Amino acid sequence: MAPIEDHPLRYRLANELHARPFPSMQAPCSAAYVAFKQPEMAANRDRARDVAHLMALLDRHGAPHPQPGATHYYGQLGRHWLKWEQHTEFVTYTIFSEGVEDRAFDARAFDPFPQDWLEDAPGQRVTSILIRVEPRRNAEEMRADFRDWFVPESLAVSSVLEGAAIMGGDFRIDQNGHMRFAVFASEGTGQRRIGRIVQRLCEIETYKSMSMLGFARVRAMGAQLGVLDTRLTELVEAMSVEGSKAEETLQALLAISAELETLSAQSSFRFGATWAYEAIVNERIAALREDRHEGRQTFGEFMVRRYQPAMRTVRSAQERLDAMSARGVRAANLLRTRVDVERSAQNQALLESMDKRSDLQLRLQRTVEGLSVVAISYYAVSLVSYLLYPLAESTGLSKGLLTAIVTLPVVLAVWGLVRRLRKEVDK
């Protein structure tokens, strides 16, 4: 049997589904996570700088390098493990460590990331997270830890994966600049299941932060949208005022439409990314299969109360921008129709004026035609008379009488000839 020809990307695409396994973690342990994003044009950034930054960290710890062209890496850094992932707009680093510090959420968990190396990152910090994983204890001890570690009014706690763990966090940035999450793993929970919970928490916080960039964009463009909306409304109202200058109004409408299109083009990628990130946040929370713990709000309920209003604001702004663009186009089309009608009326008046001038020219032409007959006849009679003068003596007629005799026939002949020529031209 002849071998089947494979698509050149078949193996690469198939392996991509298995390229980013969840880490294996055993309580007690901790994770330190940081995500970097370039402030502008992050999707089109020089990704080689991300790899070079990773290489610098690996070289400091004497760790092996990833394969050329890799977009992810998992390897050991001394007594820690490092997971590196390159995404469309950002790059993430996660340090997994065995055991926990005596002091909860100690900033020393970030020590594997040297300070000067963090400062040289090709981008800005989007988020950084400290996750503390401990064995599940009795309810009173966990309740005290949640009370001491987090802000009560923002605290979200839930039982996940059918009781595999209790996780909690308040989505606030501490004095060291990090988010905090705590996971209490139940006895018998597998290492990979703990790793999935930690990975989900990192993803929820990262994609939440990335989607909130859309909210920041909306707030930045809110004032400009308000000004454009007012100007657009005023111009539409001016269209109904009799005597308004349609062409000037049309130029102003086209200018506003151009500004709206510019805003739409500048925001389209961010809006699209926001909806994608929002969907991932909701999917990651759903994958944890939360149950309420001691009557506290779950992560999903926290998102509904605090996060979803921001997303609805972004969606409302996008719909407003689209509606304003459509309204501007409709108004411009109506005004363009009005301008065309006015120009048609002007052209009609111009044609009528040209018709009147043509009629006057025709009358003048006929007047000139009569004068031309007289002038041509005068010269024609003179020529004919000179031809007939030699016959005057033989006929006994005087030159004056001979001239008078030929005048009428010559005039008639000239008039007939001119009339014939005019008919030929008018055909």
Side-chain angles (χ1 to χ4, degrees), residues 313-364:
T313 299
V314 178
R315 185 170 283 103
S316 175
Q318 183 182 22
E319 292 173 353
R320 181 186 181 190
L321 179 58
D322 293 341
M324 287 174 61
S325 298
R327 184 151 52 101
V329 171
R330 289 196 302 269
N333 289 336
L334 288 173
L335 198 54
R336 191 178 292 110
T337 302
R338 177 179 168 183
V339 170
D340 291 341
V341 171
E342 291 180 356
R343 286 180 178 175
S344 297
Q346 293 174 357
N347 293 337
Q348 183 66 29
L350 180 61
L351 290 174
E352 291 178 357
S353 175
M354 292 176 61
D355 187 59
K356 290 181 181 179
R357 286 197 296 269
S358 297
D359 185 59
L360 291 175
Q361 290 176 355
L362 180 59
R363 293 180 183 180
L364 180 61

Side-chain angles (χ1 to χ4, degrees), residues 33-92:
Y33 174 92
V34 63
F36 297 106
K37 174 189 176 298
Q38 292 189 8
E40 300 292 338
M41 305 297 291
N44 299 321
R45 69 188 185 278
D46 182 5
R47 296 172 185 268
R49 296 182 61 195
D50 297 338
V51 177
H53 193 232
L54 169 66
M55 299 292 194
L57 179 63
L58 296 178
D59 290 342
R60 292 201 181 198
H61 294 273
H65 290 181
Q67 296 294 323
T71 58
H72 53 86
Y73 173 84
Y74 188 78
Q76 191 168 5
L77 295 185
R79 63 186 183 88
H80 309 284
W81 288 85
L82 170 68
K83 183 176 183 180
W84 172 82
E85 292 184 314
Q86 193 177 55
H87 299 266
T88 302
E89 288 193 273
F90 58 92
V91 60
T92 64

Side-chain angles (χ1 to χ4, degrees), residues 204-246:
I204 289 170
E205 170 54 28
T206 303
Y207 290 114
K208 175 185 70 67
S209 300
M210 290 298 298
S211 60
M212 289 298 290
L213 293 177
F215 180 70
R217 174 66 63 85
V218 166
R219 296 186 67 175
M221 62 189 287
Q224 186 178 2
L225 274 181
V227 172
L228 290 175
D229 198 0
T230 301
R231 287 169 53 192
L232 181 59
T233 301
E234 291 174 351
L235 288 174
V236 172
E237 291 175 352
M239 290 171 55
S240 59
V241 177
E242 187 174 354
S244 62
K245 297 181 179 179

